[in-house]
Amino acid sequence: MNRALRWTAWTVTVVVLLAVVFLVYANTVMQGTRSAALQVWRDDRVAVRDAVDSVVMTPTGTADGEGIVFIPGAKVDPYAYLATFRQVVASGTTVVITKPTLNLAFFDTRPLSTFEGHAPQVTTWAVGGHSLGGVRACQLAQDADGLLLLGSYCADDIARSSIRVLSVSGSRDGLSTPEKVAAARHLLPSTATVTEVEGANHADFGAYGDQPGDRTATIPREDARAQISAAIEDWVRTLG
């Protein structure tokens, strides 16, 4: 009996310890670069509000009726993507950046409608994501009009879908490498737009500093961000 009790106590202790370690890991996020975020907050063309389960970016000028529900990469602060979508929103598109459960997209089972409800004026919705967030976005693509992949690729086969897809990758990405993106290309519709930003790395899709495992970018982050934003702007116009 004593041996059984000791074994039970040891098992419970190990489980609790592992749970604590995981929670600490999941909640240690890569923070957004403060200066980049402040530039967006001060841009009078863009309104930013915290909706508890997401960060909502809306144009203060004329809205185009399109919106993107965007899922962050693993353990990346949602605010790190304000700079990525600054120009996109200023041009008229609403962007709702989700706050994934435990900061990991795979633990978030909420439907797109949860986040679309923050912008009822939007009539056409795309879902998108960076890195792991993009993999999750692929799983939700059947409920959207468009799919946006930033430094990411699909694990689900949506090749027969009629959804409009934009995949933007970086030639210096050390995590979603050009080889991985190319290997998963057959899972996307043949009509998908695939763009590679020469010299950009994985962290260039957000503003959160360097990321472990990434390669060194060979172009300034501002140049990479401008090219990424321009590609998204052109693509959004095809959704309406």
Side-chain angles (χ1 to χ4, degrees):
M1 179 65 72
N2 288 337
R3 180 180 296 178
L5 288 174
R6 285 197 299 270
W7 177 253
T8 300
W10 172 251
T11 301
V12 171
T13 300
V14 170
V15 170
V16 170
L17 180 60
L18 290 175
V20 170
V21 170
F22 174 76
L23 288 173
V24 171
Y25 163 81
N27 286 286
T28 304
V29 299
M30 287 175 277
Q31 297 290 340
T33 304
R34 180 177 174 82
S35 59
L38 284 175
Q39 289 179 25
V40 181
W41 282 101
R42 293 168 179 166
D43 192 330
D44 59 10
R45 302 172 302 167
V46 178
V48 180
R49 65 183 176 90
D50 193 307
V52 182
D53 61 5
S54 55
V55 179
V56 182
M57 303 176 68
T58 53
T60 57
T62 303
D64 57 19
E66 275 83 47
I68 303 170
V69 174
F70 189 79
I71 306 170
K75 305 204 311 168
V76 179
D77 188 331
Y79 284 95
Y81 298 99
L82 294 186
T84 304
F85 289 104
R86 176 185 182 182
Q87 187 56 46
V88 175
V89 175
S91 297
T93 300
T94 296
V95 177
V96 180
I97 307 169
T98 71
K99 296 181 180 180
T101 305
L102 293 175
N103 298 302
L104 296 166
F106 281 161
F107 288 107
D108 199 337
T109 59
R110 292 170 292 184
L112 289 180
S113 58
T114 298
F115 307 103
E116 293 170 351
H118 294 304
Q121 74 280 7
V122 173
T123 55
T124 302
W125 282 101
V127 62
H130 172 223
S131 195
L132 183 63
V135 178
R136 175 58 179 156
C138 293
Q139 298 175 338
L140 299 169
Q142 72 274 7
D143 298 322
D145 301 297
L147 172 65
L148 172 64
L149 300 174
L150 299 185
S152 187
Y153 47 86
C154 281
D156 294 62
D157 190 342
I158 61 169
R160 296 184 180 181
S161 171
S162 60
I163 191 171
R164 294 182 180 274
V165 179
L166 171 64
S167 172
V168 186
S169 58
S171 68
R172 296 287 297 173
D173 195 319
L175 289 100
S176 296
T177 63
E179 293 77 17
K180 291 179 180 178
V181 172
R185 173 62 181 85
H186 69 285
L187 298 176
L188 300 178
S190 59
T191 55
T193 300
V194 179
T195 300
E196 183 179 85
V197 179
E198 184 64 35
N201 66 6
H202 198 69
D204 280 332
F205 292 101
Y208 55 90
D210 298 329
Q211 185 166 357
D214 204 2
R215 299 174 70 189
T216 302
T218 56
I219 62 173
R221 187 146 289 168
E222 293 73 17
D223 291 352
R225 185 175 300 143
Q227 293 185 54
I228 293 164
S229 296
I232 297 172
E233 284 185 78
D234 290 342
W235 173 74
V236 166
R237 297 189 186 101
T238 72
L239 297 178

